[in-house]
Amino acid sequence: MEALLRLYRHHYGRIPARTEKITGSGSNRAYYRFFNDDGQCVIACHGTSVRENRAFITLACHFAAQGIPVPAIIATDESGECYLQENVGERSLFDALKSGRENGGKYDDREKELITKSMRLLPHIQVEGARGLDFSVCYPVESFDRMGILFDLNYFKYCFLKTSDADFDEYRLEYDFQNFADDLMHVAPVTGTLPTFLYRDFQARNIMLDNEGHLSLIDFQGGRRGPLQYDVVSFLWQASSHFPDSLRKECIETYLDELSTICPTDKEAFRHSMPLFVLFRLLQVLGAYGFRGRYERKQHFLDSIPPALDNLRQVLPHCPYSYLHDTCLQLFI
């Protein structure tokens, strides 16, 4: 906190009139709102990973230059651990969708409009945001790759399967993991040779609304070069959202229509590969929920496990990997 206060004082010539800690969820970084005498505020962040901070700052500046709605970077300190960014809203899309979410996925017209706006915004950061981007700045890696896929699958194995008392043969499961990784790496690109940015954590909590209802994107520092399908799945299969299949299908078509206005798009290739990415993302988030919930005892993640398992139950019949399929079945006994 002291380093952030020094940065604020150095930039504005005074200390904030009031400070407010922002409750985090999965991140270990600390965020605060610093208010001036007029009640206006900026977001102050302290993160011990200089590389992660540099990724966010560099990406934010690049995206802003491309016309993508992201927070402006106001000031950084010499250590690279502290920075100030624009406050783009105090209400997240997650908060705005509370009524429909708690009503079992029965979203009203206003909520559906926000969901649709989010799906139309996504391809712009993925495609326009990737133009001229130096992917080497991305953290922790610059591209979606086989090693990362296997890391996420083993995250699921160690942090969720093994904490669920499932009985399985690790060698047979690893064989399916290897095939799964191969299949994901060989998915046909939907934009040809055009580079695309994988947001990686595109979800309702990372979309902010200002007082006029405009959307802005945050927490994209884990992004990298990668396939577009992953982000669409991340949003539409978010465990607590309870999106009905009909709404998911509408959103996918909305997304593809918007994407096709930006670049040539192979819509059929996109649709064909979606089930693989749905399965992969669900396993990855269950690994995260296992670690953050069962190990770190964070209630939000514990609460997210049942709806995430419901999502997995729905897609498991289409799992093409027999041993992974049989192993996951044990989670529902």
Side-chain angles (χ1 to χ4, degrees), residues 3 20 33 53 135 151 159 171 183 191 199 204 206 218 226-227 252 264 271 283 305 309 319-320 324:
E20 176 184 290
R33 290 189 181 93
N53 295 341
F135 284 95
F151 176 86
C159 294
Y171 281 89
D183 291 341
T191 58
Y199 197 118
N206 292 334
I218 63 171
I252 290 169
R271 297 187 192 99
L283 298 183
I305 289 175
L309 283 174
C319 173
L324 173 61

Coordinates of all heavy atoms in Angstrom, one line a residue, residues 3 20 33 53 135 151 159 171 183 191 199 204 206 218 226-227 252 264 271 283 305 309 319-320 324:
A3 N 3.8 1.8 -1.2 CA 4.4 2.1 -2.6 C 3.4 2.7 -3.5 O 3.7 3.6 -4.3 CB 5.0 0.8 -3.1
E20 N -9.9 2.5 -0.9 CA -10.9 1.4 -0.7 C -10.3 0.1 -1.3 O -9.9 0.1 -2.5 CB -12.2 1.8 -1.4 CG -13.2 0.7 -1.4 CD -14.5 1.2 -2.1 OE1 -15.2 2.1 -1.7 OE2 -14.7 0.6 -3.3
R33 N -9.1 1.3 -4.8 CA -9.6 2.5 -5.4 C -9.1 3.7 -4.6 O -9.2 3.7 -3.4 CB -11.1 2.5 -5.4 CG -11.8 1.5 -6.4 CD -13.3 1.8 -6.5 NE -13.9 0.8 -7.4 CZ -14.4 -0.4 -7.0 NH1 -14.4 -0.7 -5.7 NH2 -14.9 -1.2 -7.9
N53 N 2.9 -7.8 -14.7 CA 2.5 -6.4 -14.7 C 2.9 -5.8 -16.1 O 2.1 -5.0 -16.7 CB 3.2 -5.6 -13.6 CG 2.7 -6.0 -12.2 OD1 1.7 -6.7 -12.1 ND2 3.5 -5.7 -11.2
F135 N 3.8 -10.5 -29.5 CA 3.3 -11.5 -28.6 C 4.4 -12.0 -27.6 O 4.1 -12.7 -26.6 CB 2.8 -12.7 -29.4 CG 1.4 -12.5 -30.0 CD1 1.3 -12.1 -31.3 CD2 0.3 -12.8 -29.3 CE1 0.1 -11.9 -31.9 CE2 -1.0 -12.6 -29.9 CZ -1.1 -12.1 -31.2
F151 N -0.4 -28.9 -19.3 CA -0.3 -28.3 -18.0 C -1.7 -28.2 -17.4 O -2.0 -28.5 -16.3 CB 0.3 -27.0 -18.0 CG 0.3 -26.2 -16.7 CD1 1.3 -26.4 -15.8 CD2 -0.7 -25.3 -16.4 CE1 1.3 -25.8 -14.6 CE2 -0.7 -24.6 -15.2 CZ 0.3 -24.9 -14.3
C159 N -5.4 -31.3 -9.1 CA -6.2 -30.4 -8.2 C -7.7 -30.7 -8.1 O -8.3 -30.3 -7.2 CB -6.0 -29.0 -8.7 SG -4.3 -28.4 -8.5
Y171 N -1.4 -43.7 -16.2 CA -0.8 -44.0 -17.5 C -1.8 -44.0 -18.6 O -1.6 -43.4 -19.7 CB 0.0 -45.3 -17.5 CG 1.4 -45.2 -16.9 CD1 1.5 -45.4 -15.5 CD2 2.5 -44.8 -17.6 CE1 2.8 -45.3 -14.9 CE2 3.7 -44.7 -17.0 CZ 3.9 -45.0 -15.7 OH 5.1 -44.9 -15.1
D183 N -5.0 -33.3 -30.7 CA -6.2 -32.9 -31.4 C -6.4 -31.4 -31.3 O -6.8 -30.7 -32.3 CB -7.4 -33.6 -30.9 CG -7.4 -35.1 -31.2 OD1 -6.6 -35.5 -32.2 OD2 -8.1 -35.9 -30.6
T191 N -9.4 -18.3 -39.2 CA -9.1 -17.0 -39.9 C -7.9 -17.1 -40.7 O -7.2 -16.1 -41.0 CB -8.9 -15.9 -38.8 OG1 -7.8 -16.3 -37.9 CG2 -10.1 -15.6 -38.0
Y199 N -7.7 -14.3 -25.2 CA -7.9 -13.6 -24.0 C -7.6 -14.5 -22.8 O -7.1 -14.0 -21.8 CB -9.3 -13.1 -23.9 CG -9.7 -12.0 -23.0 CD1 -10.1 -10.7 -23.5 CD2 -9.6 -12.1 -21.6 CE1 -10.5 -9.7 -22.6 CE2 -9.9 -11.1 -20.7 CZ -10.4 -9.9 -21.2 OH -10.7 -8.9 -20.4
A204 N -17.7 -12.9 -17.4 CA -18.5 -11.7 -17.0 C -17.8 -10.9 -15.9 O -18.0 -9.7 -15.9 CB -19.9 -12.2 -16.6
N206 N -14.8 -10.0 -15.8 CA -13.7 -9.2 -16.4 C -14.2 -8.3 -17.5 O -13.5 -7.8 -18.3 CB -12.7 -10.1 -17.0 CG -11.9 -10.9 -16.0 OD1 -11.8 -10.4 -14.8 ND2 -11.3 -12.0 -16.3
I218 N -11.0 -6.0 -18.8 CA -9.9 -5.9 -17.9 C -9.4 -7.4 -17.7 O -9.9 -8.3 -18.3 CB -10.4 -5.4 -16.5 CG1 -11.5 -6.4 -15.9 CG2 -11.0 -4.0 -16.6 CD1 -11.8 -6.1 -14.4
G226 N -3.5 -17.4 -29.9 CA -4.2 -18.7 -29.8 C -5.5 -18.7 -30.5 O -5.9 -17.7 -31.1
P227 N -6.2 -19.9 -30.4 CA -7.5 -20.1 -31.1 C -8.6 -19.3 -30.5 O -8.7 -19.1 -29.3 CB -7.7 -21.6 -30.9 CG -7.0 -21.9 -29.7 CD -5.8 -21.1 -29.6
I252 N -23.2 -17.7 -30.2 CA -22.2 -18.2 -31.1 C -22.4 -17.6 -32.5 O -21.4 -17.1 -33.1 CB -22.1 -19.7 -31.1 CG1 -21.6 -20.3 -29.8 CG2 -21.3 -20.2 -32.3 CD1 -21.8 -21.8 -29.6
P264 N -12.0 -12.7 -42.9 CA -12.6 -13.9 -43.5 C -12.7 -15.0 -42.4 O -11.7 -15.2 -41.6 CB -11.5 -14.3 -44.6 CG -10.8 -13.0 -44.9 CD -10.8 -12.2 -43.6
R271 N -17.5 -24.1 -35.7 CA -18.6 -24.9 -35.0 C -18.1 -26.3 -34.8 O -18.4 -26.9 -33.8 CB -19.8 -24.8 -35.9 CG -20.5 -23.5 -36.0 CD -21.8 -23.6 -36.8 NE -22.3 -22.3 -37.2 CZ -22.2 -21.8 -38.4 NH1 -21.6 -22.6 -39.4 NH2 -22.7 -20.6 -38.8
L283 N -12.6 -28.9 -18.1 CA -11.6 -29.6 -17.2 C -10.6 -28.6 -16.6 O -10.2 -28.7 -15.4 CB -10.8 -30.6 -18.1 CG -11.6 -31.7 -18.7 CD1 -10.7 -32.7 -19.4 CD2 -12.4 -32.5 -17.6
I305 N -18.2 -25.3 -8.1 CA -17.9 -26.7 -8.5 C -19.2 -27.4 -8.9 O -19.2 -28.0 -10.0 CB -17.2 -27.4 -7.4 CG1 -15.8 -26.9 -7.2 CG2 -17.2 -29.0 -7.6 CD1 -15.0 -27.6 -6.1
L309 N -19.7 -29.0 -12.7 CA -19.9 -30.4 -12.9 C -21.1 -30.7 -13.7 O -21.2 -31.6 -14.5 CB -20.0 -31.2 -11.5 CG -18.6 -31.4 -10.8 CD1 -18.9 -32.0 -9.4 CD2 -17.7 -32.3 -11.6
C319 N -17.5 -36.9 -25.3 CA -16.1 -37.0 -25.1 C -15.5 -38.1 -26.0 O -15.9 -39.3 -25.8 CB -15.7 -37.2 -23.6 SG -14.0 -37.6 -23.3
P320 N -14.5 -37.9 -26.9 CA -14.0 -38.9 -27.8 C -12.9 -39.8 -27.1 O -12.4 -40.6 -27.8 CB -13.5 -38.1 -28.9 CG -13.0 -36.8 -28.3 CD -14.0 -36.5 -27.2
L324 N -10.6 -41.2 -20.4 CA -11.0 -39.9 -19.8 C -12.5 -39.8 -19.5 O -12.9 -39.4 -18.4 CB -10.6 -38.7 -20.7 CG -11.0 -37.3 -20.2 CD1 -10.4 -37.0 -18.9 CD2 -10.6 -36.3 -21.3

